[in-house]
């Protein structure tokens, strides 16, 4: 099995769709197409024909290109079964117990609710890649539109159990702002400091900061680090539970 190629496609103001090309299988999927035009252009640039559309959740900035791309390419739309009614044009509904096949690859689905109640991640184990939509961002996490802090903590904990070398492909370029917030909580984290230098340099050249890895997120993303001593000292919550610390960080980020 040759490795997949995965390419970010910038959409709208700060969204990423991703082209996933399996050359051995002659398949090409797009994850979370916000709009059709940039996806069409990226496909044409590589001479690829779209076969699948994968959606992590129903929000318009992740599904806005579904119908146009489906009509144009006859692509099959795969999304969370529990949100059939809100995924435009959905053909195949997936759950954690019903994984999905991309050619000969078995793709695992993780149910990671809280940003929306049916949000999922697609895990390509053989290729060490996960598509996390608006649940896990580089140095951040999604807003709690349809869930509670403990739901989100549980969802993030599922993602944290993936191998450290798993590449994380998220739905938005929010990294710089997320990192600035992270530094308010954990200014002494040297991994965070050096990551921020890299992120600033990339953004100054208008380059994506994606992908990161699960290991890097565990070292630098405050939302995965509610047990960290410095974070607890900043928040003056020494004896709180991880969920309480997580909830307080999420509250502060909403107002950051
Ligand atoms: Zn969203
Ligand atoms: Fe989004």
């Amino acid at each position: 099995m040759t490795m997949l190629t995965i390419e970010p496609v910038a959409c709208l103001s700060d969204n990423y769709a991703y082209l996933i090309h399996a050359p051995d299988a002659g398949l090409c999927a797009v994850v979370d197409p916000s709009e059709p035009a940039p996806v069409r252009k990226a496909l044409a640039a590589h001479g690829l024909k779209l076969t699948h559309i994968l959606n992590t959740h129903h929000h318009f900035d992740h599904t806005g290109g579904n119908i146009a791309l489906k009509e144009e390419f006859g692509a099959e739309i795969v999304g969370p079964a529990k949100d059939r009614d809100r995924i435009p044009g959905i053909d195949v509904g997936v759950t954690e117990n019903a994984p999905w096949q991309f050619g000969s690859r078995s793709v695992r689905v993780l149910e990671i609710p809280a940003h929306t109640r049916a949000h999922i991640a697609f895990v390509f184990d053989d290729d060490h890649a996960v598509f996390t939509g608006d649940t896990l961002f580089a140095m951040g996490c999604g807003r709690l539109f349809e869930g509670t802090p403990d739901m989100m903590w549980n969802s993030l904990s599922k993602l944290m159990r993936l191998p450290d070398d798993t590449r994380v492909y998220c739905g938005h370029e929010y990294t710089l702002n997320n990192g600035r917030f992270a530094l308010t909580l954990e200014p002494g984290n040297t991994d965070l400091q050096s990551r921020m230098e890299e992120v600033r340099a990339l953004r100054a050249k208008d380059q994506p900061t994606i992908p990161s890895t699960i290991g890097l997120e565990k070292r630098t993303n405050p939302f995965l680090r509610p047990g960290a001593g410095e974070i607890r000292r900043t928040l003056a919550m020494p004896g709180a539970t991880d969920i309480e610390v997580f909830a307080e960080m999420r509250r502060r980020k909403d107002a950051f």
Side-chain angles (χ1 to χ4, degrees):
M1 203 182 288
T2 53
M3 289 288 280
L4 297 174
T5 63
I6 300 172
E7 187 193 333
V9 181
C11 293
L12 303 177
S13 59
D14 54 26
N15 275 82
Y16 287 123
Y18 295 98
L19 287 188
I20 308 177
H21 180 214
D24 48 342
L27 298 176
C28 182
V30 64
V31 180
D32 285 354
S34 316
E35 49 178 346
V39 175
R40 204 180 278 136
K41 199 171 153 206
L43 288 165
H46 298 288
L48 295 170
K49 182 185 172 303
L50 191 68
T51 56
H52 296 87
I53 296 168
L54 311 183
N55 295 133
T56 62
H57 66 296
H58 75 281
H59 284 158
F60 183 76
D61 62 311
H62 299 256
T63 60
N66 275 20
I67 298 297
L69 291 169
K70 181 177 180 172
E71 280 173 3
E72 194 166 333
F73 293 96
E76 186 168 69
I77 300 181
V78 181
K82 290 177 180 169
D83 240 342
R84 274 195 167 278
D85 296 346
R86 299 196 291 182
I87 303 284
I90 189 169
D91 296 299
V92 178
V94 291
T95 68
E96 220 160 68
N97 300 318
W100 177 73
Q101 287 286 134
F102 187 52
S104 57
R105 278 178 174 78
S106 166
V107 179
R108 272 195 305 140
V109 171
L110 295 180
E111 292 177 8
I112 48 171
H115 178 69
T116 69
R117 62 174 179 264
H119 197 301
I120 57 173
F122 294 94
V123 184
F124 291 72
D125 287 300
D126 294 334
D127 302 276
H128 307 272
V130 61
F131 295 86
T132 59
D134 286 358
T135 297
L136 174 63
F137 292 121
M139 293 190 276
C141 80
R143 284 178 184 265
L144 308 180
F145 288 124
E146 300 180 359
T148 58
D150 46 313
M151 278 170 70
M152 182 56 102
W153 174 242
N154 190 48
S155 294
L156 293 172
S157 299
K158 274 190 198 179
L159 294 168
M160 287 166 73
R161 288 194 285 272
L162 294 170
D164 279 352
D165 68 352
T166 308
R167 291 169 293 162
V168 177
Y169 295 89
C170 62
H172 290 267
E173 181 60 65
Y174 289 161
T175 315
L176 193 55
N177 184 262
N178 285 343
R180 287 186 180 126
F181 176 72
L183 281 171
T184 67
L185 295 168
E186 215 178 4
N189 180 338
T190 51
D191 289 324
L192 176 56
Q193 293 163 5
S194 51
R195 184 175 185 187
M196 273 303 271
E197 277 174 37
E198 289 165 26
V199 164
R200 285 195 196 98
L202 285 169
R203 294 312 294 153
K205 290 180 283 182
D206 209 28
Q207 284 175 14
T209 61
I210 309 303
S212 68
T213 63
I214 291 291
L216 182 58
E217 291 309 315
K218 287 201 282 197
R219 294 196 300 278
T220 58
N221 186 330
F223 295 100
L224 305 187
R225 299 172 56 75
E230 189 181 12
I231 291 179
R232 284 165 171 257
R233 282 193 295 281
T234 303
L235 299 174
M237 297 177 78
T241 65
D242 284 347
I243 292 171
E244 287 165 346
V245 173
F246 172 81
E248 177 59 21
M249 289 192 285
R250 188 56 263 179
R251 254 193 304 277
R252 289 187 183 213
K253 182 64 166 62
D254 286 343
F256 180 72

